Amino acid sequence: MRRDDAEQWHPGSWRAREVAQQPAWPDTEELKRAEARLSSLPPLVFAGEARHLTDQLAEVAAGRAFLLQAGDCAESFHDGSADAIRDKLKVILQMAVVLTYATGVPVVKVGRIAGQFAKPRSAELEEIDGVALESFRGHMVNDEAFDAEARRPDPWRLVEAYGQSVATLNLLRAFTKGGFADLARVQAWNQEFVATSSEGRRYTKIAAEIERALTFMRACGIDLNKEHSLHEVDFYTSHEALVLNYEEALTRRDSLTGSWYDCSAHLVWIGERTRQLDGAHVEFASGIGNPIACKLGPSVAPEDAVELAERLDPDRTAGRLTFITRLGADRVEDLLGPIVEAVSAAGHLVVWTCDPMHGNTFAADNGRKTRRFDDILREIRGFFAVHRSLGTWAGGVHVELTGAEVTECLGGAEAIGQSDLDENYTSMCDPRLNARQSLDLAFRVSELLSLERAA
Ligand code: TRP
Ligand code: MN
């Protein structure tokens, strides 16, 4: 779809489009004041970092690297502690080590973190016992408690979300550049409750091998202190660009290139519910310089994916666009192939990554939303199988996880059952893999990747 020159893109051009999944802000003047405040605050990321991520994603698109995107379904204002951030980072680093070691390709690490505060909802209102209130839309908008005051959208939450994102990103930068992510500490990321499990022991073995390799290199006379890449990691942030008032206020012109970047995160994605071609979210994302992603669910036709690629990646830049497919374990093998073929035939070198979580969610007997580890694995297997048959690169996984010992997803090596779900279910939104399940998944994915590399 080509636009005529009368409707040039600018950070607010989405406002002329139909915009899905926005809160009904009760006071638009107050909203404007919050937006003005946000616009006056510094960006969270630097445009050069976003370009660097595009370059690394281009490597993924070309089949020379793998993308690991992971974190909470929804971050919480009540749980932004240093320990929670550290534990999430630990499990992502562990997964990255497993994947890198087993496959020998670089792993691009992207968190669903430092901005993942807004959720699309299937209904505007939630009704309990005859009382209807605005649905919970994430802490950037309102609170999950079921009372009228808590559910009222408050624009100052946009500013609070910015504040928590700044604090989170600051700590992540300190951890990833300040020594915490040093490969010499590979054993130390194994939390106690993980270390005692079978996947924890399997991890310990890899960690010991890495330590031996480092010792060997030191013995050979290599000064490891000089090798920066051993001591730090590039860790990028991402979230769903849902509440566009927030994204617009953080969109800034890069002084080096003159282009616009959404400086709320390195990468932002468009959700399955907001990917309408003429809609506001696609309009907004089309004009920013960041690498962007778009979720594709089972209702997407191959032509829709091609049109989205045309709109979001008109210049056919490798690394610019990532398609995150979430088709469900039962349907991935039927649906994915035609989509990949159509997009490839149109000349787009996109990153293909698999979200095995959202197409496999169901309500347990006690009403808790959950997912089976086996279904998650089955969708990933199907995703790899399709790419292998087409000769395209299964470029990554996108998972919802937490570093804590939660009981939200069923199965895994510790065999969480339906009756265990209530034990430690703390997600405000979708069920997350716990640290052991996440590590288990990393081992399974690394086995699939090794096969793909061999092929
Ligand atoms: N910098 C390299 C990388 O990111 C190696 C590395 C250092 C690493 N610390 C790490 C890899 C922690 C995974 C996890 O790949
Ligand atoms: Mn989710």
Side-chain angles (χ1 to χ4, degrees):
M1 196 180 57
R2 289 278 158 214
R3 64 183 61 221
D4 48 64
D5 288 336
E7 35 171 348
Q8 274 290 316
W9 187 92
H10 60 91
S13 58
W14 61 271
R15 291 173 187 262
R17 305 292 178 113
E18 186 136 349
V19 48
Q21 291 286 344
Q22 300 303 289
W25 300 107
D27 181 343
T28 48
E29 288 310 309
E30 201 63 21
L31 173 62
K32 278 187 196 152
R33 280 189 285 274
E35 288 174 306
R37 173 75 185 133
L38 271 179
S39 303
S40 74
L41 291 164
L44 274 104
V45 306
F46 161 54
E49 296 177 305
R51 282 194 289 276
H52 197 204
L53 176 57
T54 301
D55 293 344
Q56 300 200 349
L57 290 172
E59 287 294 294
V60 177
R64 292 187 293 261
F66 191 74
L67 169 64
L68 173 62
Q69 190 176 13
D72 262 306
C73 179
E75 289 177 272
S76 165
F77 283 180
H78 309 309
D79 190 20
S81 72
D83 288 359
I85 297 165
R86 181 201 58 204
D87 290 346
K88 232 173 283 174
L89 179 64
K90 269 185 187 171
V91 65
I92 295 174
L93 291 176
Q94 283 190 283
M95 293 176 81
V97 159
V98 166
L99 290 165
T100 312
Y101 191 78
T103 64
V105 297
V107 173
V108 181
K109 304 153 197 78
V110 180
R112 285 176 64 111
I113 200 166
Q116 178 55 21
F117 290 106
K119 302 307 299 172
R121 302 314 306 246
S122 49
E124 300 267 309
L125 299 177
E126 181 179 346
E127 202 184 302
I128 299 183
D129 298 333
V131 184
L133 296 174
E134 169 109 16
S135 290
F136 171 55
R137 291 183 175 276
H139 280 169
M140 185 182 277
V141 175
N142 57 7
D143 188 83
E144 72 271 27
F146 193 77
D147 69 68
E149 181 51 28
R151 289 293 173 90
R152 202 172 52 86
D154 175 359
W156 291 100
R157 284 178 167 271
L158 300 173
V159 180
E160 200 173 338
Y162 167 88
Q164 186 165 325
S165 299
V166 167
T168 302
L169 181 53
N170 181 57
L171 192 63
L172 288 170
R173 289 188 193 277
F175 280 148
T176 54
K177 301 294 176 187
F180 183 86
D182 194 319
L183 268 186
R185 291 179 42 90
V186 64
Q187 283 293 7
W189 305 324
N190 214 359
Q191 298 185 67
E192 201 169 324
F193 75 91
V194 179
T196 52
S197 63
S198 59
E199 54 276 20
R201 288 194 296 274
R202 201 171 162 191
Y203 176 81
T204 304
K205 264 197 209 148
I206 289 188
E209 286 174 32
I210 291 173
E211 282 174 345
R212 270 180 51 193
L214 292 174
T215 307
F216 172 73
M217 286 192 280
R218 208 177 290 114
C220 294
I222 298 171
D223 184 354
L224 299 186
N225 289 328
K226 283 197 196 135
E227 303 297 328
H228 285 289
S229 64
L230 295 175
H231 309 300
E232 38 182 69
V233 297
D234 289 335
F235 188 84
Y236 297 97
T237 60
S238 71
H239 61 262
E240 177 175 353
L242 184 69
V243 179
L244 294 176
N245 309 72
Y246 179 81
E247 307 303 333
E248 178 187 345
L250 289 168
T251 296
R252 310 292 165 83
R253 201 190 272 281
D254 172 34
S255 56
L256 292 178
T257 60
S259 305
W260 292 98
Y261 283 82
D262 181 352
C263 296
S264 70
H266 300 106
L267 176 147
V268 291
W269 75 83
I270 302 169
E272 165 69 2
R273 293 194 175 99
T274 51
R275 59 172 166 75
Q276 301 79 11
L277 262 187
D278 294 332
H281 294 83
V282 168
E283 167 65 15
F284 174 76
S286 72
I288 56 176
N290 310 57
I292 55 180
C294 184
K295 294 261 187 133
L296 299 178
S299 69
V300 77
E303 319 69 272
D304 301 337
V306 171
E307 285 188 90
L308 277 166
E310 179 59 31
R311 190 73 212 290
L312 297 169
D313 175 36
D315 300 331
R316 291 166 171 71
T317 308
R320 155 71 176 169
L321 179 61
T322 294
F323 274 137
I324 308 170
T325 56
R326 26 102 66 236
L327 301 168
D330 293 334
R331 305 181 68 188
V332 60
E333 299 223 33
D334 293 332
L335 298 179
L336 182 59
I339 297 171
V340 174
E341 283 182 305
V343 171
S344 306
H348 298 276
L349 195 57
V350 304
V351 170
W352 294 105
T353 184
C354 175
D355 165 359
M357 314 296 289
H358 289 90
N360 299 305
T361 314
F362 66 99
D365 297 339
N366 62 3
R368 293 278 196 196
K369 258 205 251 181
T370 191
R371 293 156 174 163
R372 288 191 191 89
F373 186 83
D374 287 348
D375 291 340
I376 292 168
L377 199 59
R378 203 151 54 82
E379 177 156 358
I380 295 177
R381 268 201 215 104
F383 170 81
F384 272 88
V386 168
H387 281 289
R388 198 175 313 127
S389 73
L390 295 176
T392 45
W393 177 244
V397 289
H398 177 117
V399 292
E400 291 184 342
L401 58 72
T402 176
E405 203 173 356
V406 299
T407 53
E408 299 173 4
C409 291
L410 301 170
E414 51 191 317
I416 294 175
Q418 298 225 5
S419 57
D420 303 319
L421 287 178
D422 281 333
E423 214 164 280
N424 192 20
Y425 196 111
T426 59
S427 177
M428 287 187 305
C429 202
D430 291 338
R432 302 159 298 179
L433 296 170
N434 64 29
R436 284 184 205 164
Q437 290 169 325
S438 301
L439 195 55
D440 196 351
L441 191 73
F443 279 114
R444 313 293 188 108
V445 172
S446 70
E447 287 158 10
L448 292 167
L449 257 174
S450 304
L451 288 179
E452 197 183 15
R453 292 271 295 156

